[in-house]
Amino acid sequence: MSKSIQAVRGMNDILPTETPRWQYVEGVFRRLMAAYGYGEIRLPIVEKTELFKRSIGEVTDIVEKEMYTFEDRNGDSLTLRPEGTAGCVRAGIQHGLLYNQVQRLWYAGPMFRHERPQKGRYRQFHQFGVEVFGLPGPDIDAELILMTARLWRELDMGEEVHLEINSLGSGEARRAYREKLVAWLEAREDELDEDSRRRLHTNPLRILDSKNPAMQDLIEAAPKLVAHLDADSRDHFETLCTMLDEAGVAYRVNPRLVRGLDYYSRTVFEWVTDRLGAQGTVCAGGRYDGLVEQLGGRPTPAVGFALGLERLVALLEEAELPDATTPHAYLVLAGETAERGGRLLAERLRDALPHLRLLVHSGGGSFKSQLKKADRSGARLALILGEDEMLSGNIAIKDLRGSGEQQHVKQDELAESLARVLATIDN
Ligand code: ATP
Ligand code: MG
């Protein structure tokens, strides 16, 4: 045997035993988007490298070391998207969706980052994202946060995640604060770890986000961005907090929440959990009023978030989910005429009952071995068709879960009988 080929490290197969959980989350998310009036946008997985450099920022972790960048056959530098916002803004500008308009958009799909794979951190992972364009006020920031809060409630994990918010102020206020912070940190440069020293002149705000325990006292003592907000940003933030209070959404103002991407301004937020170890951020977002212009569009306020599906699905690991995939019935077919007749009968049943999940046996074998397979499939009912039944026009229905009882009905009346059974099962 030749050596088998494995998947790329950090890029996972999602197997049929796991996909029901994914489909469930996806279904809840899609319904939520419709409920809030958001429209889906589908974007390419590959974009020009330049797009990410110009939006996410040259000195961010993503652009510095995480992107899958390659030359295509024309020599153009392309990148597998590490996130969705840049592509969404690019598409919005390109198709004239943004100027003088309000757009409420969502997208879903795989993202790619060359990180060290570990639990909750992969090289191909999946996000749902939401982006709103054309609305500058805190009310829309609140809408996004309320929408995510509702998502957790619908997934029955409201107790597991909590909200952290912060404001980064206007670009100008942030620049002024940045100077102050750099001066303060420079005076204490010998207390900085290597990472932070490197970031001191490239991305000093990220130092505040350091997870190094040895750095925590220093970070705690550093000047706070919230204290240096411009007046408009402070108003914006206070109004947002009031709106969250009024809606009964609990939050913690975390002055150290800065987010790793360059394009944010004003509101930033994260939903975090303690249940996933170091990879605790399930959803992250914020306002990025400068990005559309930065990418060549007209100035357009914008706000959005992205949530990581792997982490969400991991949180749902133990939850009891409605079962939408186990077959309702397994059709047992013994003998040649039954096999032929049974396949036609199955198609008639599918015509009559579009929601019926019916698994048709294939591959022959005795009644006994087929019934074993029917049982293993998890189906509630076995429908049994042999040569006798073909002659009499009947079919046997065996209850595999409850009483084990078996009854005969006319094949022509089978759809009606099954409809009655389906009505007693809630999915
Ligand atoms: P982290 O701090 O965990 O690295 P991030 O700030 O890089 O996250 P964002 O770019 O804001 O993450 O992406 C939004 C969400 O996407 C994250 O909150 C997380 O749930 C998910 N996510 C990000 N990177 C990965 C990854 N490598 N594997 C799995 N999920 C990820
Ligand atoms: Mg990251």
Side-chain angles (χ1 to χ4, degrees):
M1 248 191 321
S2 53
K3 195 165 177 276
S4 66
I5 298 169
Q6 306 286 305
V8 177
R9 195 163 114 85
M11 303 203 180
N12 299 317
D13 302 307
I14 304 169
L15 302 179
T17 44
E18 304 163 65
T19 45
R21 213 167 289 280
W22 286 73
Q23 290 174 355
Y24 174 71
V25 177
E26 286 158 5
V28 172
F29 186 81
R30 276 169 203 277
R31 273 200 306 281
L32 189 73
M33 290 301 105
Y36 279 81
Y38 285 59
E40 185 186 9
I41 185 164
R42 297 194 181 195
L43 303 159
I45 285 171
V46 178
E47 297 272 1
K48 293 183 180 153
T49 304
E50 185 60 22
L51 174 68
F52 301 115
K53 288 195 173 165
R54 244 163 85 183
S55 55
I56 298 168
E58 296 267 7
V59 292
T60 55
D61 281 356
I62 293 182
V63 172
E64 270 185 346
K65 52 188 188 199
E66 295 175 0
M67 293 204 306
Y68 279 92
T69 296
F70 60 97
E71 268 189 18
D72 81 352
R73 289 172 190 274
N74 310 326
D76 298 328
S77 180
L78 305 181
T79 294
L80 297 186
R81 62 181 186 192
E83 53 105 61
T85 304
C88 189
V89 172
R90 194 265 314 136
I93 296 170
Q94 183 175 337
H95 300 287
L97 303 180
L98 306 186
Y99 182 57
N100 257 343
Q101 297 171 61
V102 170
Q103 294 287 350
R104 289 173 158 93
L105 305 174
W106 69 272
Y107 56 82
M111 306 293 162
F112 302 84
R113 297 184 194 176
H114 196 275
E115 305 198 68
R116 193 170 68 78
Q118 53 197 294
K119 185 167 181 275
R121 192 174 293 288
Y122 308 100
R123 291 181 172 172
Q124 173 174 329
F125 61 99
H126 298 79
Q127 286 184 339
F128 283 131
V130 166
E131 317 287 353
V132 178
F133 299 96
L135 297 171
D139 52 343
I140 195 71
D141 304 8
E143 176 167 297
L144 295 193
I145 291 174
L146 294 189
M147 163 196 288
T148 42
R150 181 175 301 280
L151 179 64
W152 315 135
R153 284 201 300 279
E154 293 199 3
L155 294 173
D156 203 16
M157 46 189 263
E159 304 294 308
E160 316 213 22
V161 287
H162 50 270
L163 175 64
E164 304 200 338
I165 59 175
N166 191 22
S167 176
L168 301 179
S170 65
E172 229 162 280
R174 194 145 46 123
R175 273 188 290 281
Y177 166 75
R178 191 184 139 121
E179 273 173 34
K180 214 167 274 184
L181 178 69
V182 171
W184 191 90
L185 290 169
E186 268 174 336
R188 294 156 183 83
E189 200 166 341
D190 48 335
E191 296 172 54
L192 297 181
D193 63 9
E194 201 191 309
D195 239 10
S196 304
R197 224 168 283 155
R198 187 171 53 83
R199 283 178 170 150
L200 188 52
H201 297 286
T202 55
N203 199 352
L205 262 62
R206 272 298 256 182
I207 297 177
L208 303 177
D209 201 25
S210 163
K211 307 283 186 304
N212 181 355
M215 293 274 300
Q216 299 310 308
D217 286 349
L218 185 76
I219 291 167
E220 213 46 63
K224 300 271 184 295
L225 179 50
V226 263
H228 294 81
L229 291 185
D230 52 294
D232 285 351
S233 295
R234 192 170 332 115
D235 282 352
H236 186 107
F237 191 59
E238 280 168 10
T239 312
L240 171 63
C241 291
T242 308
M243 288 172 167
L244 296 179
D245 292 336
E246 283 168 358
V249 175
Y251 57 88
R252 183 171 82 91
V253 177
N254 176 359
R256 291 168 50 177
L257 185 63
V258 293
R259 309 285 304 115
L261 296 73
D262 270 2
Y263 52 59
Y264 287 112
S265 58
R266 295 199 167 157
T267 311
V268 288
F269 66 94
E270 286 191 357
W271 288 94
V272 280
T273 174
D274 306 323
R275 265 193 48 204
L276 297 176
Q279 273 59 253
T281 306
V282 180
C283 170
R287 186 162 274 286
Y288 50 94
D289 292 338
L291 182 60
V292 176
E293 194 178 10
Q294 201 176 309
L295 288 178
R298 316 241 190 154
T300 306
V303 58
F305 67 78
L307 50 89
L309 263 125
E310 279 76 4
R311 295 182 194 178
L312 206 56
V313 168
L315 279 179
L316 282 178
E317 204 81 293
E318 283 130 47
E320 282 281 332
L321 302 182
D323 176 7
T325 51
T326 306
H328 297 120
Y330 190 105
L331 179 56
V332 168
L333 303 166
E336 215 173 288
T337 28
E339 278 180 16
R340 210 172 328 116
R343 284 184 199 288
L344 296 176
L345 177 63
E347 287 307 308
R348 287 206 302 279
L349 284 176
R350 298 189 212 282
D351 288 340
L353 303 170
H355 296 293
L356 174 68
R357 297 194 295 268
L358 173 66
L359 200 55
V360 178
H361 181 79
S362 181
S366 66
F367 275 123
K368 200 169 155 212
S369 73
Q370 291 193 32
L371 277 168
K372 230 184 237 162
K373 292 206 170 90
D375 192 43
R376 238 180 286 142
S377 75
R380 163 90 179 264
L381 303 172
L383 311 177
I384 305 168
L385 204 57
E387 299 299 310
D388 292 351
E389 283 81 8
M390 284 313 286
L391 285 175
S392 63
N394 287 340
I395 185 163
I397 306 178
K398 186 179 167 69
D399 187 344
L400 293 172
R401 304 299 144 195
S403 56
E405 144 198 348
Q406 187 164 320
Q407 50 162 323
H408 280 82
V409 298
K410 288 253 162 263
Q411 288 174 19
D412 291 343
E413 287 159 18
L414 178 59
E416 272 165 54
S417 303
L418 287 178
R420 273 196 298 277
V421 179
L422 287 186
T424 68
I425 309 176
D426 30 279
N427 51 68

